[in-house]
Amino acid sequence: MSRLLVVQNGPGGGPGRFGDWLVAEGLSLDVVHAYAGAPLPRRPEHEGVMVLGGGYLPDDDHRAPWLAPTRALVAEAVERDAPVFGVCLGGQLLAQVAGGTVRGDHGEPEFGSTPLTLRSEAGRDPLFHGLPERVTAVEHHVDAVTALPPGAAWLMESERCPYQAFRVGDRAWGVQFHPEAGADRVRSWDPERLRARGLDPAELSRRAERDEPAAEAVWREVARRFAAVVGA
């Protein structure tokens, strides 16, 4: 059974349904609660690496000292062409490790179910080829990738944030959105913090519930394809 190392960066940011789909496809997930002090292996004996989201910048080592060894893990995986999947913070970390740039509080924040557009480069991508031209995913970010790594394939974009999905090399992917999160995650957000940003929690929940069936089918297929890459 192929093993995937999963780095969790916050107590509420587990692999969720994406992890369930990977397990259903035959992967074994080793989830490291790095935010709680669990040590990361220096040289993991895993077929791939997945880095989840969290409320930090990729080099926020003062507040999140585990990010330095996480960057080293991702750099090592990219170097040996091992499969990588980075979500939100994880995607930003991949971009930075590979030579791109990330900025905090950049552009317009995105919260809740967000329309995404598939780009033409995705037609040749192992994970994103053949997906619907328009799909939604849950977003929760104020930081963003501002320049992709040299040679990266730009796969998806949104109206507010251009770099929603990209690939580094042949087998390392980063996404700004949360394919592991559904409407239940949106309902769990602090309503007062949302209202402070001028957002309506009830409307965010309604939109996420409306969009979930179509979105879930798409991200389940992406998980299936990533599991196949790891298993290969």
Side-chain angles (χ1 to χ4, degrees):
M1 181 178 288
S2 297
R3 296 169 62 202
L4 183 70
L5 177 67
V6 181
V7 181
Q8 185 169 332
N9 294 297
R17 63 184 186 181
F18 202 84
D20 294 339
W21 298 332
L22 294 175
V23 170
E25 294 297 325
L27 295 189
S28 173
L29 271 55
D30 292 339
V31 181
V32 177
H33 295 259
Y35 68 92
L40 290 163
R42 292 194 176 188
R43 296 185 62 83
E45 297 179 357
H46 297 78
E47 281 70 35
V49 176
M50 183 175 182
V51 182
L52 300 173
Y56 309 98
L57 286 167
D59 56 358
D60 198 355
D61 296 351
H62 178 71
R63 292 196 303 147
W66 65 89
L67 288 175
T70 302
R71 292 195 302 274
L73 280 177
V74 170
E76 188 271 341
V78 171
E79 178 67 24
R80 64 183 169 96
D81 197 30
V84 174
F85 198 93
V87 173
C88 198
L89 166 59
Q92 295 168 4
L93 188 145
L94 171 63
Q96 188 177 85
V97 162
T101 59
V102 178
R103 287 181 58 187
D105 293 313
H106 178 79
E108 296 185 69
E110 292 178 309
F111 292 92
S113 183
T114 301
L116 308 174
T117 301
L118 199 69
R119 291 175 53 83
S120 60
E121 285 183 78
R124 301 181 296 277
D125 185 76
L127 301 193
F128 287 82
H129 71 272
L131 298 185
E133 183 180 353
R134 296 278 196 275
V135 67
T136 62
V138 170
E139 304 262 3
H140 191 286
H141 74 101
V142 296
D143 310 324
V145 175
T146 56
L148 290 178
W154 182 9
L155 305 174
M156 299 192 86
E157 60 188 337
S158 72
E159 182 178 349
R160 292 185 174 187
C161 180
Y163 303 124
Q164 288 286 347
F166 61 93
R167 188 187 73 251
V168 173
D170 294 328
R171 304 206 298 171
W173 289 269
V175 300
Q176 182 59 70
F177 51 89
H178 288 270
E180 84 284 7
D184 56 340
R185 179 76 64 85
V186 175
R187 288 193 296 270
S188 74
W189 294 343
D190 183 342
E192 293 307 315
R193 293 183 68 179
L194 294 173
R195 292 189 187 98
R197 288 187 171 275
L199 300 169
D200 180 349
E203 175 57 26
L204 289 181
S205 293
R206 282 193 296 268
R207 192 187 317 151
E209 290 167 2
R210 178 198 67 198
D211 295 343
E212 183 159 335
E216 182 175 346
V218 171
W219 305 126
R220 182 190 294 267
E221 175 62 16
V222 169
R224 187 190 68 79
R225 294 174 179 179
F226 182 65
V229 172
V230 176

